[in-house]
Structure formats: C-alpha cells, structure tokens
Amino acid sequence: MDCRNPAGLLAEACSAAGRPSAGAELIRAGENTLWRLPGKVVARVGRVGQTAVAARELAVARWLHRHRVPAVRPLAEPPGPIEVHGRPVTFWHELPPHRHATAPELAAALRRLHELPPPAGGLEPIDPFVRLAARIDGAATLGAPQRHWLHDRLADLRTAWHELDRAPTPSTVVHGDAWGGNLAVTATAAHLLDFERTALGPPAWDLTSTAVAHDSFGTLAAPGYAAFCAAYGADVTEWPGYPVYRAIRELRVACYALQQAAADPGRHRAQAHYRLACLRGEHGPRPWRWTAID
C-alpha cells in the first residue's frame, strides 16, 4: 500500500486502530486532513512531526469533558495518536449538524474556558510565533526583499512580545486560535474544537482574534464587536499592549495566506500579497478588508 496516498495512510491508521475505513469521506484537506468514517467517527490526520501536538489535543479535550465544557470528544480507544509515516492520526466522535459561532457565543465560551483551573498535568506557555519562520521560508511567491522584510518583522515582534507587560489578567488556559470556526454550534450546545494551540497564556491573546476581525480586517461590524465585548466583560483594545498582540495576529494571518499561495498561486497569490502590502503600509489605515482564505 502506498501511504503517500492520503486514503492509503488513512486505511493503515484505521487498521492499527481496529476501525473500518471503507467508505471514508473527505471532509477537509488542509494543514490537518479530516475524514468521516462509518459509525459517526471523524479521523484527524495531522502533519508530519506533530504527534506530541495531537496528544495534547486529546488531553485538552478530555480535560474539558471532565469539567463539563462542551467540546469535541475523542474516542476512548485508541487512547493516543496512531503515528503512520510520521503523521499522527486521532479519532473523534462526529458532531451533529453545526454552524460557526457568533461573536457573543464565542465570547461566552472563552469566558468559561478562561475561568477554569489549569489541568494538573500542565500545559506549555503560549507561543504566538509557532511555525511563522517556516511559513516565511516556504512562501514560494515571495521575492528575497519581501522575505527579508517579513523575517525582520517577526524578529521585532518577538522582542516586543517578550518585553510586554502582560498584566491585564494572569495567565490561564487559552484556546490559542479563538475564532468562530473553532466553536461549533449545534442545536443543543456550542462545542470547542481544534486544540493545536491550546496553552497557558494571557486571555488577551484569545480576545485579540475577534478584535482584529473588527479593527484590522473589517469582517466584524461594530455592533458585533460590541456584543462580543459585552458577553466577555472586557474590551482588549483598551489595554495598552493590544497593538503588539494585534500586529502578531496580523502577521500570523498574512503568513497563512502566503503558505496557501505557495500551494495554489492561482487562487491565493493576489490576496496573500495584498495582505503583505497592507502590513508594509501600502494600503492606508485599517480596516483593510481582507478576504477569507479557505
């Protein structure tokens, strides 16, 4: 079996887990690949070298379940990731039909998450720069001057992050990638999902994603952002350190677009380079009206 083929890799992982793979349906192919399996099970195939991250995702989901927080639930068996050719595969209960969360729904879920005591096993400190250097290096549509500018920007923001007084609230468990697509709202509950970036850190980092959607990208109107702040009980943009967090989030979203442009220039190059030009001050003040990239 050629396990360079995604379906072949899935079949090998399912065989190791004692689960059928016949009739598997591809849900999404991105940095992680999701497959729908018989029996209302979802297999999540991670990137090469991410087995420890996949194990943390399982641990966080089980910790949330113990605290009665709605979240995607891993199967009891296998208890950990199955590694196939360096790629971790985990198995989850499929959610019923769902939609992305509204801003107030996301705020309520984050407030509940941030109030939980950290898990006894501990979590690593948040790293808002994870994989950014690699994404810049792999951005095939960039020229050398653009790549050099991005690396300089990354270095400056690393310094600013470490020098920043993060005092608005003490560190707690943060989701790490808190946007409406990572809160699945069913008919009965709003379920947290995608715990790759979950860590210990300042709650302000989770709030920044929604603030930037309003402030930088223009994808969330003022009433929606006001409802988010009211539901959470705070407005992160009022904190003096917010501009640093905003700049880091902007860089993350721009580098993701550049990664997608390298894989599919025809679809994503224009948007990726528009985002870079905005960061370089070539398209005036915020909001910049960035277009979503799937």
Side-chain angles (χ1 to χ4, degrees), residues 22-64:
E25 301 174 19
L26 181 65
I27 299 172
R28 187 179 74 241
E31 291 200 356
N32 298 285
T33 304
L34 301 182
W35 294 87
R36 181 178 292 109
L37 302 178
K40 296 185 178 179
V41 171
V42 171
R44 180 182 173 96
V45 183
R47 301 182 306 276
V48 171
Q50 295 298 300
T51 299
V53 172
R56 183 176 68 236
E57 288 191 273
L58 294 172
V60 169
R62 289 170 178 144
W63 169 74
L64 288 169

Side-chain angles (χ1 to χ4, degrees), residues 6 8 72 97 122 139 142 149 166 275 281 294:
V72 289
L142 291 180
W149 186 91
R166 301 184 201 144
R275 293 182 183 190
D294 55 24

Side-chain angles (χ1 to χ4, degrees), residues 131-142 147-148 150-151 255 262:
R131 299 194 67 232
L132 286 188
R135 284 178 171 173
I136 294 168
D137 288 337
T141 63
L142 291 180
R147 188 172 287 107
H148 182 75
L150 282 167
H151 276 300
C255 286

